[in-house]
């Protein structure tokens, strides 16, 4: 009884604390008309509103529209429960356990629909560092706004009225190019340390300055990232690296002391002059591709970030008289194993990374049939791009890369004329292998 009463009083208090009236900013002021939304997000809000619910486009999309950027995707917040949302749409399914959200499919689009979340209270489960583990309590619109991370991310757009509902002065902060935390930054970072990474990423991507109150604690709280599950860190790292602003993000991560413990080797890499040059070139390259609307592969990215660690291990193993190719494979495994403890690189991506690395020594072989076989490799293009980066960074000479550039574009006769003379050792090795395998395929770097 008493417990219940206390908790009701508590809850009452917290609710009033966040229960100030929001600013309702009309379209005549903010200028964003509903046709700027995706049709899926509009229809989703309409359907929910027709069933008597509140429904808004929320978060990154509203923020990006205000800043003049193209939203990546549209999220919807509503007071309907996940079960209700699912019933209103023909193609919808509930996903997630920690937070239940509903994926609503509208044509090509998938909308993420979340039910307003309630405030954390004394019953919220956390780990020993204060990180919130379980959080599925529904709440009011005001409570939902208070639970979001930055003021610029707590804006709600109502497609019916074209008004923006702003509980935390987000529109004003955005205008002043400030990324400001809702609530007390230290407490918010303890609840979820990933917010530190989000601060850096969003600031870099959107050209915002992290408010000093939110920026200052990052350095001293960086260690909290060690308790975040590796899969979440991996997702966030991937978002950061594919934001189109990765150079800025990585530079700022380093400035804030956040590169330690993320990719455990990233700090080591950035401190080796060769490694840093290579990583920065690769990131600039990726940023450029993304901004021009070309895709990138996570495998390629992570392959570049970790390459100089592989090289270092490889050199050591070769110096200890390891055979060249097996030593490379051993070095690759060592580097990926160390990463796996912190960052859950998915198995598929790890496979892509290994493909790219293991192709590298094969580019040196430019005699006989091997170059033709390499051209046919499904990962040839990625391996070749990687080779060019190594050359640009000065790790290897330009000559091999240029040879491959010409070889790809040459016709049959030209190609044949380009081949280097076979080394006597090459032939012998190949013949020896040919017998038991019974095929002529090259597999020097692909045991
Ligand atoms: P992006 O452009 O990367 O999609 P985003 O802000 O939309 O940026 P999402 O991860 O899609 O990021 O999250 C959607 C919204 O959910 C955010 O705008 C924010 O309101 C809220 N949110 C996301 N992550 C957190 C978090 N860790 N803590 C609090 N609120 C969060
Ligand atoms: Mg988003």
């Amino acid at each position: 009884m008493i417990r219940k009463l206390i908790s009701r009083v508590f809850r009452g208090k917290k609710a009033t604390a966040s229960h100030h009236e929001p600013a309702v900013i009309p379209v005549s002021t903010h200028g964003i008309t509903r046709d700027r939304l995706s049709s899926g997000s509009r229809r989703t809000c309409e359907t929910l509103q027709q069933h008597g619910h509140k429904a808004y486009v929320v978060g990154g999309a509203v923020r990006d529209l205000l800043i003049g950027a193209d939203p990546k995707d549209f999220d919807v917040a509503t007071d309907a429960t996940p079960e209700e949302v699912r019933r209103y749409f023909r193609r919808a399914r509930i996903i997630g356990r920690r937070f239940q959200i509903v994926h609503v499919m509208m044509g090509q689009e998938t909308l993420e629909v979340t039910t307003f979340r309630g405030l954390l209270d004394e019953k919220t489960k956390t780990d020993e560092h204060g990180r919130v583990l379980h959080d599925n309590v529904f709440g009011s619109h005001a409570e939902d706004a208070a639970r979001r991370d930055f003021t610029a991310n707590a804006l709600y757009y109502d497609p019916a009225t074209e008004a923006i509902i702003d509980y935390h002065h987000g529109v004003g902060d955005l205008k002043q190019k400030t990324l400001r935390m809702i609530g007390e930054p230290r407490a918010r970072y303890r609840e979820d340390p990933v917010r530190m990474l989000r601060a850096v990423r969003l600031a870099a991507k959107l050209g915002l300055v992290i408010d000093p109150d939110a920026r200052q604690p990052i350095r001293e709280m960086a260690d909290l990232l060690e308790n975040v599950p590796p899969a979440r860190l991996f997702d966030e790292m991937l978002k950061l690296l594919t934001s189109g602003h990765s150079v800025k993000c990585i530079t700022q991560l380093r400035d804030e002391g956040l590169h330690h413990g993320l990719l455990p080797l990233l700090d080591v890499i950035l401190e080796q002059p060769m490694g840093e040059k290579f990583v920065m070139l690769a990131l600039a390259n990726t940023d450029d591709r993304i901004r021009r609307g070309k895709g990138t592969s996570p495998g390629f990215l992570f392959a570049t970030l970790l390459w100089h660690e592989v090289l270092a291990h490889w050199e050591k193993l070769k110096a200890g008289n390891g055979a060249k190719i097996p030593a490379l494979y051993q070095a690759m495994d060592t580097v990926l194993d160390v990463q796996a403890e912190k960052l859950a690189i998915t198995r598929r991506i790890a496979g892509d990374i290994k493909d790219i690395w293991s192709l590298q020594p094969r580019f040196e072989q430019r005699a006989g049939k091997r170059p033709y076989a390499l051209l046919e490799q499904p990962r040839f293009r990625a391996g070749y791009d990687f080779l060019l980066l190594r050359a640009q960074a000065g790790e290897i000479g330009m000559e091999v890369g240029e040879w491959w550039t010409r070889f790809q574009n040459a016709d049959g006769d030209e190609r044949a004329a380009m081949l280097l003379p076979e080394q006597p050792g090459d032939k012998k090795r190949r013949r020896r292998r040919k017998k038991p395998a019974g095929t002529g395929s090259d597999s020097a770097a692909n045991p």
Side-chain angles (χ1 to χ4, degrees), residues 374-385:
L374 190 49
L375 274 183
E376 298 306 317
Q377 275 283 323
R379 307 300 256 119
F380 170 82
R381 186 74 215 179
Y384 164 76
D385 286 343

Side-chain angles (χ1 to χ4, degrees), residues 423-437:
Q423 302 289 313
D426 280 353
K427 254 195 182 137
K428 230 178 14 209
R429 271 210 312 271
R430 250 196 18 228
R431 237 180 245 136
R432 242 199 337 251
R433 195 178 303 115
K434 230 169 164 175
K435 262 184 204 156

Side-chain angles (χ1 to χ4, degrees), residues 110-392:
T110 299
L111 288 303
E112 227 163 63
V113 182
T114 48
T115 304
F116 290 152
R117 269 186 231 143
L119 291 179
L120 305 174
D121 60 18
E122 70 281 5
K123 284 183 293 186
T124 308
K125 284 206 191 80
T126 63
D127 73 3
E128 76 265 33
H129 304 280
R131 190 171 66 84
V132 173
L133 297 173
H134 199 81
D135 168 25
N136 226 350
V137 182
F138 302 138
S140 67
H141 188 182
E143 289 176 332
D144 186 78
R147 287 292 317 279
R148 294 185 180 264
D149 46 6
F150 302 102
T151 61
N153 282 345
L155 299 171
Y156 299 77
Y157 185 94
D158 182 349
T161 63
E162 298 184 311
I164 289 177
I165 321 277
D166 182 1
Y167 282 92
H168 297 281
H169 198 258
V171 173
D173 286 340
L174 260 183
K175 241 187 227 139
Q176 288 169 16
K177 299 274 172 197
T178 301
L179 194 65
R180 195 161 58 83
M181 184 72 88
I182 296 172
E184 209 281 298
R186 281 165 214 273
R188 303 303 310 276
Y189 290 143
R190 258 191 303 276
E191 284 168 16
D192 181 7
V194 169
R195 288 172 186 151
M196 295 188 268
L197 296 175
R198 287 178 55 84
V200 171
R201 172 171 65 88
L202 293 173
K205 180 175 136 179
L206 304 166
L208 305 178
V209 173
I210 306 173
D211 174 59
D213 288 348
R215 183 180 169 186
Q216 205 214 331
I218 292 182
R219 187 168 285 277
E220 59 196 80
M221 299 183 86
D223 288 351
L224 289 178
L225 282 167
E226 285 171 23
N227 310 307
V228 175
R232 237 192 121 208
L233 277 187
F234 178 74
D235 284 350
E236 191 52 39
M237 223 23 220
L238 201 55
K239 274 193 173 184
L240 197 143
L241 294 170
T242 57
S243 65
H245 301 269
S246 65
V247 170
K248 228 166 131 189
C249 283
I250 294 283
T251 312
Q252 200 164 348
L253 279 183
R254 186 167 37 176
D255 293 349
E256 305 298 341
L258 278 181
H259 57 297
H260 293 287
L262 256 194
L263 286 166
L265 298 171
L266 193 57
D267 43 357
V268 183
I269 299 166
L270 290 172
E271 273 147 32
Q272 302 167 357
M274 281 293 285
E276 164 156 15
K277 192 166 176 208
F278 181 71
V279 166
M280 286 303 176
L281 254 175
L283 292 178
N285 208 300
T286 306
D287 287 350
D288 189 54
R289 286 181 65 94
I290 288 172
R291 292 197 218 175
R292 282 187 290 133
K294 291 194 194 170
T296 54
S297 81
F300 189 89
L301 259 169
F302 284 99
T304 59
L305 292 180
L306 299 170
W307 174 241
H308 276 260
E309 278 303 304
V310 173
L311 279 182
H313 281 277
W314 192 17
E315 286 306 322
K316 241 185 270 160
L317 290 165
K318 278 193 292 190
N321 274 332
K324 185 175 167 185
I325 300 306
L328 172 61
Y329 276 80
Q330 202 183 324
M332 293 183 343
D333 285 338
T334 306
V335 170
L336 285 175
D337 283 349
V338 172
Q339 290 304 310
E341 290 165 17
K342 295 269 174 164
L343 207 65
I345 298 181
T346 61
R347 204 172 299 188
R348 198 178 58 88
I349 294 175
D352 292 346
I353 296 173
K354 285 190 184 180
D355 284 347
I356 291 168
W357 286 342
S358 61
L359 284 177
Q360 295 310 305
R362 295 178 60 183
F363 286 101
E364 290 160 28
Q365 304 171 343
R366 288 172 283 158
K369 291 187 178 133
R370 290 175 183 186
Y372 296 97
L374 190 49
L375 274 183
E376 298 306 317
Q377 275 283 323
R379 307 300 256 119
F380 170 82
R381 186 74 215 179
Y384 164 76
D385 286 343
F386 197 86
L387 181 80
L388 291 188
L389 268 181
R390 294 170 61 206
Q392 274 172 36

